[in-house]
C-alpha cells in the first residue's frame, strides 16, 4: 500500500495542494503553474462543491474536469478531487483524475459511501477518506472498510476536523484523539492532515500542520489559490503557492523513531519513570476506592443515599483548584474526576444492591 503512495507522492510528508475549487481556466492554470514551480506535484481542486446553503458557487462540474485533464498533461502532475456520488466517480475516471476523495459530508452517510464503493470495483486509483463532520470514529472506520471492501488498495485518511457545539478558535475542532485512534486501528493507512479546513483561517495553518507532523502524520492537504482573497469558496483559509512553499520549508518533519543508541537509552529511562508513576497512580486509585467502599457501607448502614450533591459540588470545585497549583489544566483534572466519580457511584451501587439481595426474604 505504502509503495504506491510513495511512488505518487515521493517522500513524506505526502503533500496535496491546490485551490478549494477549480473556478476558471485562468485560475487553475495560474495556480498550478505556481505550485509546480514551488515543487508541488499532486494538485487538489474541488469540482463539485458541497455548500451549506443553496445559490452559492457549487463548482464547475464537468467543465472543470476538462481543465484538470489538460492541466495534468501540461504540467505532468497528479490530480485529486472530491466525489460524492457514483456519477462523480464515473466522470472523474472519464477525465483521468488520479486520486478521488470522500468529503466530510459524504463520509457520514453509509448508503452513499456503499454506492460509491460499489462503483469503484476494479479501479486502481488511490482513494482518500476525510473524517465525517461529526466526531464519530466508527463512521470514519466504516467508510474506510467499505472502500477497502471494493478492492481499493491505496487508501488514505484525511483529518479535516469536526463540528462541535463548543465554540472554539477553529472552523472545525481538531479533536486529535480521534485521528490517532484511527491510526491505531489502521496503522497501514496513511493519515494526512488538512489544516486549511481545521483552521478556516490562513493564520493558523502553520501551527496545525506542525502539530500534525509532531504527531507523525504521513502528509498534508493544504488549500492554495493564486489570488486567495478572490476565491469563490473558502477564501479566508487559502494561501498563495509562494506562501505555501515558505510554510512547507519552515515545517519541521519529525522521524517516526530514532536508531540512535543514546536517544533510545534515555527514552527508556524516561519511560521507566512514567511506568513507575502510573503504578503509583493506580495504587492510589485502588486505595481511594477502598475508602469509597467504606463510605458506601457506612451510608447504607445509616440509610443515607449514595449521591450527595453538595459533596460532589465540593469535589468539582476543589480538585480543579488543586490542579492549578501543580500547573495542570483544571478542565482535564475535572474530566478525570468525572470518571472517578462515575466509578465510585458504581461501586457503592453494587454495595447497596448486594445488601438488598441479602435482605430479600427467603421463600
Ligand atoms: C474541501 O476539501 O474543499 C471540502 C469541501 O472539504 P470537507 O469535505 O473537509 O469539508
Ligand atoms: Mn475548501
Amino acid at each position: 500500500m505504502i509503495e504506491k503512495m510513495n511512488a505518487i507522492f515521493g517522500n513524506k510528508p505526502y503533500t496535496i495542494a491546490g485551490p478549494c475549487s477549480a473556478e476558471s481556466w485562468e485560475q487553475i492554470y495560474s495556480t498550478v503553474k505556481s505550485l509546480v514551480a514551488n515543487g508541488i506535484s499532486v494538485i487538489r481542486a474541488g469540482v463539485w462543491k458541497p455548500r451549506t446553503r443553496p445559490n452559492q458557487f457549487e463548482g464547475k462540474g464537468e467543465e472543470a474536469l476538462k481543465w484538470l485533464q489538460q492541466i495534468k498533461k501540461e504540467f505532468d502532475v497528479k490530480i485529486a478531487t472530491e466525489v460524492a456520488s457514483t456519477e462523480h466517480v464515473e466522470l472523474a475516471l472519464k477525465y483521468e483524475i488520479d486520486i478521488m476523495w470522500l468529503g466530510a459530508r459524504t463520509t457520514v452517510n453509509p448508503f452513499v459511501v456503499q454506492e460509491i464503493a460499489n462503483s469503484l470495483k476494479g479501479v486502481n486509483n488511490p482513494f482518500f477518506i476525510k473524517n465525517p463532520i461529526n466526531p464519530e470514529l466508527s463512521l470514519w472506520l466504516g467508510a474506510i472498510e467499505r472502500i477497502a471492501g471494493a478492492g481499493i488498495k491505496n487508501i488514505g485518511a484525511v483529518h479535516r476536523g469536526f463540528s462541535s457545539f463548543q465554540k472554539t478558535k477553529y472552523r472545525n475542532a481538531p479533536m486529535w484523539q480521534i485521528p490517532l485512534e484511527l491510526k491505531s486501528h489502521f496503522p497501514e493507512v496513511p493519515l494526512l492532515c488538512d489544516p486549511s479546513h481545521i483552521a478556516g483561517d490562513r493564520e493558523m495553518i502553520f501551527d496545525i500542520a506542525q502539530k500534525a507532523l509532531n504527531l507523525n502524520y504521513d502528509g498534508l492537504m493544504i488549500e492554495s489559490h493564486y489570488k486567495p482573497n478572490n476565491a469563490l469558496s473558502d477564501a479566508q483559509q487559502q494561501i498563495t503557492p509562494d506562501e505555501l512553499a515558505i510554510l512547507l520549508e519552515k515545517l519541521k518533519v519529525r522521524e517516526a523513531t530514532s536508531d540512535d543508541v543514546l536517544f533510545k537509552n534515555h527514552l527508556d529511562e524516561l519511560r521507566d519513570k512514567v511506568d513507575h508513576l502510573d503504578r503509583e497512580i493506580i495504587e492510589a486509585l485502588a486505595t481511594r476506592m477502598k475508602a469509597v467502599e467504606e463510605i458506601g457501607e457506612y451510608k447504607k448502614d445509616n440509610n443515607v443515599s449514595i449521591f450527595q450533591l453538595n459533596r460532589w459540588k465540593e469535589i468539582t470545585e476543589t480538585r480543579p483548584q488543586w490542579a492549578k497549583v501543580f500547573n495542570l489544566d483544571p478542565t482535564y483534572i475535572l474530566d478525570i474526576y468525572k470518571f472517578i466519580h462515575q466509578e465510585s457511584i458504581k461501586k457503592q451501587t453494587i454495595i447497596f444492591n448486594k445488601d438488598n439481595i441479602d435482605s430479600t426474604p427467603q421463600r
Side-chain angles (χ1 to χ4, degrees):
M1 183 181 288
I2 305 293
E3 287 79 58
K4 176 95 186 256
M5 290 284 191
N6 277 338
I8 290 176
F9 288 100
N11 291 336
K12 287 189 187 171
Y14 300 156
T15 306
I16 304 179
C20 179
S21 349
E23 300 168 355
S24 66
W25 169 252
E26 197 214 342
Q27 171 251 11
I28 193 73
Y29 182 90
S30 305
T31 303
V32 174
K33 186 167 183 234
S34 190
L35 284 168
V36 169
N38 282 301
I40 300 294
S41 59
V42 184
I43 304 295
R44 64 149 284 152
V47 164
W48 301 279
K49 296 309 297 176
R51 304 310 295 271
T52 309
R53 306 286 296 272
N55 307 321
Q56 298 180 34
F57 172 70
E58 289 185 328
K60 290 286 186 178
E62 195 164 351
E63 187 184 9
L65 288 172
K66 290 180 186 164
W67 302 330
L68 291 172
Q69 191 179 32
Q70 210 168 326
I71 289 286
K72 174 178 155 132
K73 300 219 167 82
E74 188 137 349
F75 293 104
D76 191 24
V77 286
K78 304 281 185 215
I79 306 280
T81 201
E82 173 180 347
V83 289
S85 69
T86 55
E87 192 201 344
H88 292 172
V89 171
E90 275 165 33
L91 283 167
L93 292 172
K94 177 175 167 197
Y95 290 99
E96 299 178 289
I97 294 291
D98 303 280
I99 299 171
M100 290 172 269
W101 81 77
L102 285 188
R105 291 159 193 79
T106 307
T107 306
V108 290
N109 189 334
F111 285 131
V112 180
V113 175
Q114 190 58 54
E115 272 176 24
I116 291 176
N118 296 345
S119 74
L120 289 170
K121 293 252 156 66
V123 171
N124 210 5
N125 304 33
F127 200 97
F128 283 80
I129 295 141
K130 285 194 163 196
N131 67 254
I133 297 249
N134 44 323
E136 247 183 82
L137 175 66
S138 52
L139 279 172
W140 202 1
L141 294 174
I144 291 176
E145 285 160 352
R146 287 177 199 277
I147 301 298
I152 297 286
K153 299 253 171 342
N154 293 278
I155 290 181
V158 181
H159 170 215
R160 50 77 78 198
F162 302 87
S163 70
S164 117
F165 290 117
Q166 269 165 357
K167 201 97 205 88
T168 68
K169 62 179 174 171
Y170 303 102
R171 177 179 177 195
N172 293 293
M175 304 188 191
W176 297 96
Q177 194 54 34
I178 298 177
L180 295 181
E181 276 177 48
L182 181 97
K183 192 72 182 168
S184 52
H185 269 82
F186 292 131
E188 295 300 315
V189 172
L191 175 61
L192 273 58
C193 179
D194 172 348
S196 312
H197 286 89
I198 292 177
D201 170 354
R202 61 180 73 97
E203 298 306 321
M204 287 157 67
I205 294 174
F206 176 80
D207 286 349
I208 298 165
Q210 185 60 65
K211 170 138 190 189
L213 295 186
N214 294 348
L215 292 170
N216 199 29
Y217 275 50
D218 302 282
L220 299 165
M221 179 191 270
I222 300 184
E223 286 189 339
S224 176
H225 188 296
Y226 82 132
K227 289 180 182 166
N229 290 330
N230 296 348
L232 298 179
S233 56
D234 291 350
Q236 310 92 299
Q237 72 191 32
Q238 304 206 56
I239 55 179
T240 65
D242 288 347
E243 287 164 344
L244 175 73
I246 294 168
L247 183 147
L248 293 175
E249 189 64 34
K250 267 191 0 199
L251 285 174
K252 282 202 170 62
V253 179
R254 313 291 180 187
E255 300 297 329
T257 182
S258 166
D259 291 331
D260 184 278
V261 180
L262 288 177
F263 167 82
K264 279 189 161 173
N265 194 37
H266 189 49
L267 186 64
D268 282 347
E269 280 170 14
L270 294 172
R271 283 181 173 162
D272 273 353
K273 207 174 181 177
V274 169
D275 286 351
H276 267 90
L277 290 167
D278 281 347
R279 244 199 113 81
E280 278 178 26
I281 291 173
I282 289 171
E283 273 176 33
L285 285 173
T287 312
R288 187 189 193 280
M289 199 53 87
K290 286 241 155 53
V292 166
E293 282 169 357
E294 250 177 73
I295 292 176
E297 302 279 2
Y298 193 58
K299 284 179 190 159
K300 167 76 192 66
D301 290 348
N302 289 280
N303 204 29
V304 168
S305 68
I306 296 174
F307 182 59
Q308 301 285 317
L309 180 61
N310 286 341
R311 172 63 176 157
W312 175 233
K313 268 193 174 158
E314 185 197 327
I315 290 180
T316 58
E317 277 160 23
T318 52
R319 274 50 170 179
Q321 278 167 15
W322 299 350
K324 280 192 214 157
V325 176
F326 293 99
N327 252 336
L328 287 168
D329 178 353
T331 49
Y332 152 68
I333 293 298
L334 182 60
D335 284 347
I336 291 179
Y337 270 92
K338 284 181 187 162
F339 277 117
I340 292 177
H341 187 244
Q342 204 180 357
E343 189 66 12
S344 301
I345 297 276
K346 192 170 120 194
K347 280 279 189 291
Q348 293 182 67
T349 308
I350 292 170
I351 289 167
F352 274 51
N353 286 348
K354 189 179 82 200
D355 285 358
N356 283 345
I357 293 161
D358 289 351
S359 60
T360 309
Q362 301 285 320
R363 284 173 188 259

